[in-house]
Amino acid sequence: EITSLLSLYGGQFSSEQEIRDNSPFWILSIPSEEMARGLMKRTVCAKSIFELWGHGRSAGELYAALRSYPMDKMLPYLQPDSTYKVHIHTFNKTLTQAQKIQKIDALEFLPFKGKVNLKNPEHIFWILEDYGMDPNKVPEEPFQLYFGRWIADGQRELIESYSVKKRHFIGNTSMDACLSFIMANHGRVKPNDIVYDPFVGTGGLLISSAHFGAYVCGADIDYNTIHGLGKASRKNQKWRGPDENIRANLRQYGLEKYYLDALVSDSSRPVWRKGMLFDAIITDPPYGIREATRRTGSQKEAVKSAERSTENHIFVSSSYHLSDIFFDLLKFAAEHLVMGGRLVYWLPIYRPEYTADIVPRHPCLKLISNCEQMLSSHTSRRLITMEKVKEFRDQDESSSSSDGQYLPYRGHNSFREKYFSGVTKRIAREEKDNQK
């Protein structure tokens, strides 16, 4: 998420520090404080950002770094008419109040000239100490110490204010608010973008993109979900109410002006004209567990079921293999994303058999990131982010990419089809066992 936002707002990871695996502190190189604030207005993963005045592997190294920090950069925040306070944060260790005071007093060599104000200071300075990630092996001394001026906090409060529990219209698989904002940030969604979700469901992913000022639209094969009809997913509610729909969700958060529309449509048979339409495609395809994988078919095909909608429109739905879902999704993204636009989606995997070759590829799309969310000891899903780097041509569907990693996998004999079929069965089995 941070890497995507840095590419959007400017900046990069600093080469100053060797970042330990799983370290909670990162050093970034950002050109201006304004850019840093812009980044923190978006992130739900980062807690706070600071202007770093010094750091070291010991207290002595930290104090030496602070003494060498340019005085002209310090003085604007240490003036006699200003107020300040010093806050201490220790990761993976708790200090006594006496220990905290001792560490603050050790900074007396800094030229603080203002008055201390603990309730409402103009400037807040932080001492940050990293004691590692293992609560069973806490070292006596921290691995790293940092000192800096607080600039801004992240957007962690969005997780609560957009919680699915408080949402007007939900479904069986409505996306968690935190994850939906992370996906929007992976997609580098910005004001006036057009964002599309081809498996829109109840529109949870549209809400996070609209929050960041993008115009949103979606499609789904389920007529009842798009129109807010049928059985409710909420506990102690049998049927959906008259105003339970995607538009009502956006209206709930004051985002209705960003809602374009949602269509009843089969993602395997796109209804859009040829050409580039979308700045980002952000979606959570159905895995066939709690939401069925379906597509429209004909009477001659292997019919799964025949369903009748509330308007007496009859359609036939047939099975839609998981591997085919991803094949169609990547092809659609390659054709309809603008150059530099991003595709962000979830890929279910069975961990013991997972390899990087399982991740679907396309010659027009570059893999940007592949992040794992653990579901159980054996299953997880990976958040895949891809960026369009090449104009789409029809012959791309039958050719390999330049790095040889694109493998067509349409058809039931391919290793990907077999793999994803097995994933669906294993996840379903684990969910059934968990319910028992």
Side-chain angles (χ1 to χ4, degrees):
E1 186 207 43
I2 299 298
T3 303
S4 294
L5 292 176
L6 286 173
S7 68
L8 183 62
Y9 286 95
Q12 60 187 3
F13 284 94
S14 175
S15 58
E16 260 187 80
Q17 176 199 25
E18 272 186 41
I19 300 175
R20 294 185 304 100
D21 288 344
N22 299 320
S23 171
F25 301 106
W26 290 342
I27 298 180
L28 308 178
S29 179
I30 300 177
S32 69
E33 185 172 320
E34 182 183 359
M35 289 183 179
R37 291 183 184 277
L39 185 150
M40 297 308 287
K41 287 179 181 177
R42 292 286 302 259
T43 175
V44 293
C45 288
K47 187 174 181 180
S48 302
I49 195 166
F50 309 87
E51 181 184 60
L52 186 62
W53 287 15
H55 67 96
R57 293 176 180 171
S58 65
E61 282 188 21
L62 172 62
Y63 301 152
L66 288 174
R67 287 188 174 94
S68 64
Y69 190 72
M71 189 60 65
D72 60 319
K73 292 185 178 181
M74 284 189 185
L75 288 179
Y77 310 103
L78 307 177
Q79 295 300 312
D81 58 346
S82 65
T83 58
Y84 74 95
K85 79 171 181 178
V86 179
H87 188 88
I88 296 180
H89 174 73
T90 54
F91 189 87
N92 199 30
K93 188 170 185 176
T94 302
L95 300 180
T96 65
Q97 190 64 25
Q99 288 174 315
K100 291 181 179 180
I101 293 173
Q102 184 181 5
K103 290 177 182 290
I104 293 173
D105 289 342
L107 297 172
E108 61 183 3
F109 62 88
L110 291 175
F112 289 109
K113 297 178 181 178
K115 294 181 179 180
V116 174
N117 184 332
L118 299 180
K119 290 187 177 180
N120 189 28
E122 291 179 57
H123 309 298
I124 305 174
F125 300 94
W126 284 62
I127 300 171
L128 305 166
E129 297 185 351
D130 179 6
Y131 288 88
M133 302 289 288
D134 189 349
N136 298 316
K137 294 181 181 179
V138 181
E140 286 296 321
E141 298 297 327
F143 294 116
Q144 282 280 349
L145 299 93
Y146 308 87
F147 180 85
R149 179 178 63 90
W150 175 84
I151 293 176
D153 288 333
Q155 301 300 305
R156 301 288 293 175
E157 72 275 2
L158 293 179
I159 299 171
E160 179 61 27
S161 57
Y162 281 86
S163 172
V164 175
K165 295 177 183 178
K166 304 175 184 177
R167 194 165 298 168
H168 185 65
F169 177 46
I170 62 170
N172 293 334
T173 56
S174 292
M175 183 61 66
D176 171 79
C178 179
L179 294 177
S180 66
F181 280 105
I182 290 174
M183 292 178 74
N185 284 332
H186 274 240
R188 298 194 301 188
V189 173
K190 57 188 182 299
N192 300 319
D193 277 357
I194 297 179
V195 177
Y196 177 66
D197 182 353
F199 304 97
V200 70
T202 56
L205 295 179
L206 302 187
I207 293 171
S208 56
S209 294
H211 175 84
F212 293 134
Y215 293 93
V216 296
C217 55
D220 203 286
I221 195 172
D222 193 321
Y223 179 96
N224 286 344
T225 299
I226 290 293
H227 291 278
L229 303 172
K231 290 185 177 180
S233 298
R234 201 179 301 275
K235 189 177 180 181
N236 300 324
Q237 182 182 342
K238 191 170 183 180
W239 302 100
R240 288 173 176 147
D243 192 35
E244 286 193 52
N245 51 55
I246 298 172
R247 183 184 294 275
N249 274 351
L250 287 152
R251 186 187 305 126
Q252 176 183 354
Y253 301 110
L255 302 172
E256 187 178 3
K257 64 180 180 180
Y258 296 113
Y259 181 56
L260 298 177
D261 209 344
L263 314 174
V264 179
S265 172
D266 179 1
S267 64
S268 71
R269 291 176 169 83
V271 297
W272 301 98
R273 63 175 172 82
K274 288 188 177 293
M276 297 178 291
L277 294 171
F278 308 114
D279 297 284
I281 296 172
I282 299 175
T283 190
D284 181 28
Y287 311 145
I289 313 300
R290 284 176 290 174
E291 295 291 350
T293 54
R294 296 181 298 154
R295 61 178 169 186
T296 54
S298 68
Q299 294 288 355
K300 293 181 180 180
E301 295 174 348
V303 177
K304 183 180 180 182
S305 62
E307 301 182 5
R308 183 183 298 271
S309 77
T310 53
E311 293 188 356
N312 298 322
H313 172 71
I314 299 175
F315 69 88
V316 177
S317 66
S318 61
S319 62
Y320 193 11
H321 291 278
L322 205 55
S323 59
D324 289 342
I325 290 178
F326 297 125
F327 182 94
D328 291 334
L329 178 61
L330 266 64
K331 180 179 181 293
F332 180 85
E335 186 171 0
H336 293 290
L337 279 175
V338 301
M339 192 61 65
R342 288 193 168 186
L343 165 67
V344 184
Y345 70 96
W346 288 100
L347 180 75
I349 64 150
Y350 181 63
R351 300 184 76 235
E353 297 177 3
Y354 169 77
T355 67
D357 294 334
I358 293 299
V359 179
R361 302 294 181 97
H362 193 282
C364 295
L365 303 173
K366 176 184 176 182
L367 181 65
I368 299 297
S369 66
N370 179 352
C371 308
E372 184 179 27
Q373 183 197 20
M374 295 280 291
L375 300 177
S376 72
S377 59
H378 290 86
T379 59
S380 67
R381 58 180 179 175
R382 304 189 81 95
L383 183 59
I384 307 298
T385 303
M386 309 184 86
E387 186 172 309
K388 184 173 179 179
V389 295
K390 176 185 172 185
E391 293 288 354
F392 175 83
R393 297 174 301 175
D394 288 335
Q395 54 264 41
D396 287 329
E397 295 312 307
S398 58
S399 64
S400 297
S401 63
S402 58
D403 60 5
Q405 290 181 310
Y406 172 64
L407 298 173
Y409 55 95
R410 175 83 81 173
H412 305 319
N413 294 323
S414 69
F415 80 99
R416 281 192 178 91
E417 195 280 329
K418 293 177 181 177
Y419 173 84
F420 287 121
S421 177
V423 167
T424 302
K425 292 175 183 176
R426 290 185 180 100
I427 295 177
R429 194 181 305 125
E430 287 205 7
E431 284 208 350
K432 184 179 287 186
D433 291 341
N434 289 337
Q435 288 173 357
K436 289 181 181 177

